[in-house]
Amino acid sequence: MSLLTQYPFWLAVFAVLLGVGYALFLYHKNENVVFEKRSRIVMASLRGVAMALLAFLLLAPMLKMIRKQTDKPVIIFSIDNSESIASGKDAAYYTRDYPRQLQKVVNDLAKQYDVDAYLVGDENKLVDNENVGVDFSDKSTNLSALFDDINLLYSSRNVGAVVMLTDGIYNIGSNPYYAAQKANFPVYTVGLGSDEQATDLFIADIVHNKEVLKGNRAPVEVKVQAGKLSGKTAKLTVSDDHGEVFSKTLQISGNQYFETVSFLVDAEKPGLKRFKVDLDELDGEITHKNNHAQFFIRVIESKDKIAVVYEAPHPDVAAIRSALELSDNYDVTVASVEEFKANPADFGLIVLHQLPSQKHPASSLLSQIRQNGVSALYIIGTQTELNAFNGLNTGLQITQSKNMTNNATASYNSNFMLFSFSEEAQQLLPTLPPLQTPFGTYKASVSSNLFMTQKISGVETKYPLFLFNDVNGAKTGVVSGTGLWAWKVYDYVNNQNHDAFNEIVNKTALFLVAKNDKSPFRVRHNAVFAENAPVEFSAELHNESGELLNTPDVKLTVKGSGDTAYDAQFSKQNNAYYLNMGELPVGTYTWTAKTQLGNKTYEKSGSFSVQEIFVETANLVADFDMLKSVAQTTGGKFFTRNELEKVVKEIKANENIKPVASYQKKYSMLLNSPWYLALIVLLLGIEWFLRKWHGGM
C-alpha cells in the first residue's frame, strides 16, 4: 500500500506548518489559556497533528493498494442431452446408472475446482451442479456452439478444461473439431453410445420442396439406410390424410444398405398437406423410432413474382437472388434499371438496390410502383440519391450533411412484431459484419416498424438499419446500408450454412409480398412449427381510423386431436399483441382468436401443424473418431463411458490446471477512509477531554 496525491508531495510541509502554527496560536500566544506547561505541550501536539491531518486532505491524497486475487480453474462440462444418447441398445444404462455416475464426477471435481455444467442439445443450458438433471429430451444437437459461448463468457476466466460427454453425433452447427481448435485449454472427451454398426432400418432423410404450385406434382426423395439386415425385405409406405399415396418393397442387400426412393405427390388443393412415411418394423432393430417420419408441403395457388432491380452490379444482388430462389413460391427476375422493361404491376415485390440514384432517377418505375400499390424494398447505398429517396414516403428520412458513411452493425429490436424471427438468427445479428450506411441524421415515421437498429463503434443508436412501413395499403421496407453479401459469407463461415441469412431475406420477402389484410383484427403465425420450437402468435387490432391499439384483451383457443384444447391470452406489447404457447406435441391444430372493441366482436380462426424432428434417431452410430481428434488437438484425452471416473484423476494430475494469481490495483481517496477520519476525531476528542479535565473551556 502506498500514498499518492494529485499535487506535489512537498506541499504536505505546508499542511504540517499550518497544524503547528494553529497549535502555537491556540496554546502559546493565547493569554486566556492557563494550563501548566506539560499539559499545554500535550494538548497543542494533539491539536497540531489533527489540524495537519485535516489540511493534508486539501492535497486530495489517495491510497494505492495492490490486492492479490486467486482465480480457481473452471472445469466446464458439456453434457449431450439429445435423444440419440438413450435411443440405442444401452438405453437402460443411460436412464438409470449414467446420471448417478455423472453427478458423482461433477461433485468430485467441484470440491477442488469451480465447475459449470451445461446440457447441450437444442441449446446450451447452464444447470445446477448439485442436480445436473440429464433427461435426453433434446431433439437436435449443436456440439460446436458451446465453444463459441466459452470464448464469449469465459474470456477473462481461468478455464482449466472442458469435459465433453457425447456420442459425437451433431446435426446443427459446424463440426466441433474445427470449433475446438480455437480452444486454449484441454478438452477431455467421453464417448457415449456405441460406434459399432447397429442392427437398424431407418429413414435417414426426406428431401422435398416446401411449396408447390396447385395442380403440379411435387418430387420427394426418401433416403433409407439399414445395418446388419442383409437379405431382409421391408415395405416403405407414404400416406396423406386420405390414405396411401405411394409404396415400395425394399430388398435389403449387404450389411450397410442405402437407397434413395423417389416419387411424386399430387398438389390438388391449396393449403398445407401432411404426409407420413413408414417403414416396416423388423425384428432385432435397435429402435423403431426412426422407422417413421412425416413431412409437410404447402400447396399455393400461384407463384409470387419478385423483381430485383439494381443501379449497378453489386454482390448484394447475387446474395439476395440466391436466397429468394430457394423458395418455390417466388418467380424471381433480376435486371439493371436500364434493362428492366416489365410492367411493375405484375410483381408482388420489387427490390430496388441503390435506386433512385443520380445517374438513374428511375422516376417512371417509382411512379408506377406507387400508383399500383406494389410493395418495395429499398436498399440504400453510396449511389442512392437521398433527396429523391426522401420524397418516396417510405417511412424513413435521411439527411446527409457530408458525403461520408458509417460502419453499422445490426441490433435486433426486441419489440418488433410483424413476423417471428428465430432465436438463433437474433443471436447471430450482433456478430455480423457491418453495413455501410450514410453518415447523417435519420428520422423514422411514427407508422414505421423497426426491425433492426444501427450500432456504430460499439454504441447503440436509434438510427434504423432495417424498417418496414405501410402507407395506404402499400408496404415498403428499407435497408439503410449495403454489404448484405458479407452477412451471407459470415453465416457460412461460422455455421457452414446460410440459414440465418436466408431467413432474413425470405421472411422480409414473405411479409412484403403477402397481401394486406384489411380487417381490423389480424392474427399471424407460421404454418409449421418444429416440435422443439415455441408456437408463437402475433396480433393487431385497429380502430375505425386505422390506428393500432391493444386496450381490449385477446383470447385464443387451440384445439388438437381428440379433446386436447389449450386456452391462452395474448400479452400486450407496444400497440400490438404477442403470445408464446411454448412447445406443443406433434400434430395438427386449429385455433380461434376473439376480442371485442366497443360493441363489435372480432373473431379469427386458422390452423397450423407441429412437425416431428427425427434427426436425432436417424443415425445412432457414435463418432468416436471425431471425439478422439478433438481431445488430441487440444491436449486432452479420450475416455470411454466405462472410464468416466478416470476423468477426475486425469484433470487432477494435470499440472497445467492450477489456480492463477492476479494482482489488482485499487485506488481510494483518503477522505473516504473511516480510519483516517476516526484518527482525527480521536485526537480532537482526547484534546477536548484533557482541556475539560484541567478546567478549560
Side-chain angles (χ1 to χ4, degrees), residues 642-667:
N642 298 323
E643 301 173 313
L644 184 57
E645 294 185 359
K646 291 184 179 180
V647 175
V648 178
K649 296 180 181 179
E650 189 70 25
I651 291 177
K652 290 183 177 180
N654 191 333
E655 296 181 354
N656 294 322
I657 303 176
K658 57 187 178 181
V660 174
S662 60
Y663 296 87
Q664 293 182 335
K665 296 179 181 179
K666 184 178 180 182
Y667 297 90

Side-chain angles (χ1 to χ4, degrees), residues 287-304:
T287 180
H288 290 138
K289 289 182 180 179
N290 50 20
N291 291 59
H292 311 279
Q294 61 179 347
F295 64 94
F296 293 83
I297 292 179
R298 176 177 288 281
V299 182
I300 58 177
E301 291 278 6
S302 61
K303 286 189 175 183
D304 290 308

Side-chain angles (χ1 to χ4, degrees), residues 229-245:
L229 289 171
S230 182
K232 301 284 186 178
T233 61
K235 184 179 181 181
L236 171 72
T237 304
V238 181
S239 58
D240 61 13
D241 293 338
H242 302 290
E244 183 179 307
V245 297

Side-chain angles (χ1 to χ4, degrees), residues 406-454:
N406 282 322
N407 289 325
T409 54
S411 181
Y412 178 67
N413 176 22
S414 59
N415 294 321
F416 181 73
M417 297 291 295
L418 294 182
F419 51 78
S420 61
F421 195 52
S422 69
E423 187 68 29
E424 293 79 11
Q426 290 182 34
Q427 294 176 356
L428 184 67
L429 278 182
T431 67
L432 292 173
L435 299 186
Q436 191 177 32
T437 62
F439 175 83
T441 303
Y442 292 71
K443 184 179 180 182
S445 65
V446 177
S447 61
S448 62
N449 288 275
L450 290 182
F451 182 22
M452 305 175 197
T453 56
Q454 299 183 33

Side-chain angles (χ1 to χ4, degrees), residues 85-270:
I85 302 295
S87 296
K89 60 183 179 181
D90 296 331
Y93 162 77
Y94 287 107
T95 56
R96 185 184 64 246
D97 299 329
Y98 170 72
R100 175 178 49 80
Q101 295 175 357
L102 172 62
Q103 190 66 61
K104 183 177 184 300
V105 170
V106 172
N107 292 342
D108 286 349
L109 287 173
K111 295 175 183 177
Q112 185 173 341
Y113 307 97
D114 289 337
V115 173
D116 286 347
Y118 289 85
L119 293 184
V120 175
D122 299 328
E123 59 183 1
N124 299 325
K125 183 170 63 175
L126 182 65
V127 294
D128 185 1
N129 294 343
E130 299 297 326
N131 182 20
V132 174
V134 58
D135 59 7
F136 310 110
S137 60
D138 287 350
K139 302 293 182 179
S140 57
T141 312
N142 188 342
L143 296 178
S144 62
L146 185 62
F147 290 100
D148 296 332
D149 288 349
I150 292 173
N151 291 334
L152 178 65
L153 302 175
Y154 294 85
S155 59
S156 61
R157 299 285 302 278
N158 176 23
V159 178
V162 168
V163 181
M164 193 174 177
L165 304 102
T166 177
D167 55 11
I169 301 172
Y170 65 94
N171 35 60
I172 297 178
S174 60
N175 190 325
Y177 171 75
Y178 298 107
Q181 289 182 336
K182 305 174 185 177
N184 56 359
F185 43 78
V187 178
Y188 296 94
T189 56
V190 180
L192 307 180
S194 173
D195 62 344
E196 296 181 0
Q197 179 67 50
T199 303
D200 196 17
L201 172 67
F202 59 93
I203 300 168
D205 194 13
I206 301 175
V207 180
H208 63 93
N209 294 334
K210 294 183 179 179
E211 295 149 342
V212 63
L213 282 173
K214 175 186 174 183
N216 289 353
R217 306 191 75 194
V220 180
E221 291 184 352
V222 178
K223 301 182 186 298
V224 180
Q225 286 186 236
K228 296 184 178 181
L229 289 171
S230 182
K232 301 284 186 178
T233 61
K235 184 179 181 181
L236 171 72
T237 304
V238 181
S239 58
D240 61 13
D241 293 338
H242 302 290
E244 183 179 307
V245 297
F246 175 83
S247 65
K248 181 179 180 180
T249 300
L250 308 177
Q251 301 290 336
I252 303 173
S253 57
N255 286 328
Q256 291 188 349
Y257 166 82
F258 176 84
E259 183 176 348
T260 298
V261 181
S262 302
F263 54 92
L264 298 171
V265 295
D266 294 324
E268 299 174 350
K269 294 182 180 180

Side-chain angles (χ1 to χ4, degrees), residues 539-654:
E540 294 179 357
L541 183 62
H542 298 254
N543 61 19
E544 294 182 356
S545 299
E547 298 171 324
L548 280 172
L549 71 161
N550 62 358
T551 307
D553 293 333
V554 175
K555 296 185 178 181
L556 181 78
T557 300
V558 175
K559 293 184 178 180
S561 58
D563 297 329
T564 304
Y566 305 90
D567 293 320
Q569 181 169 307
F570 282 78
S571 60
K572 300 174 181 179
Q573 293 187 358
N574 295 332
N575 290 325
Y577 299 87
Y578 173 76
L579 175 61
N580 185 335
M581 297 195 66
E583 299 174 9
L584 294 181
V586 173
T588 301
Y589 297 83
T590 59
W591 59 266
T592 302
K594 294 181 179 180
T595 189
Q596 184 170 343
L597 180 61
N599 296 325
K600 293 184 178 180
T601 299
Y602 298 99
E603 182 175 315
K604 289 282 186 178
S605 60
S607 63
F608 64 89
S609 294
V610 177
Q611 184 174 4
E612 181 180 9
I613 304 296
F614 63 92
V615 292
E616 277 299 316
T617 55
N619 176 25
L620 298 177
V621 180
D623 190 352
F624 287 174
D625 289 338
M626 185 273 291
L627 297 180
K628 292 175 182 177
S629 298
V630 168
Q632 182 178 7
T633 195
T634 60
K637 191 174 181 180
F638 173 80
F639 299 90
T640 65
R641 76 175 197 196
N642 298 323
E643 301 173 313
L644 184 57
E645 294 185 359
K646 291 184 179 180
V647 175
V648 178
K649 296 180 181 179
E650 189 70 25
I651 291 177
K652 290 183 177 180
N654 191 333

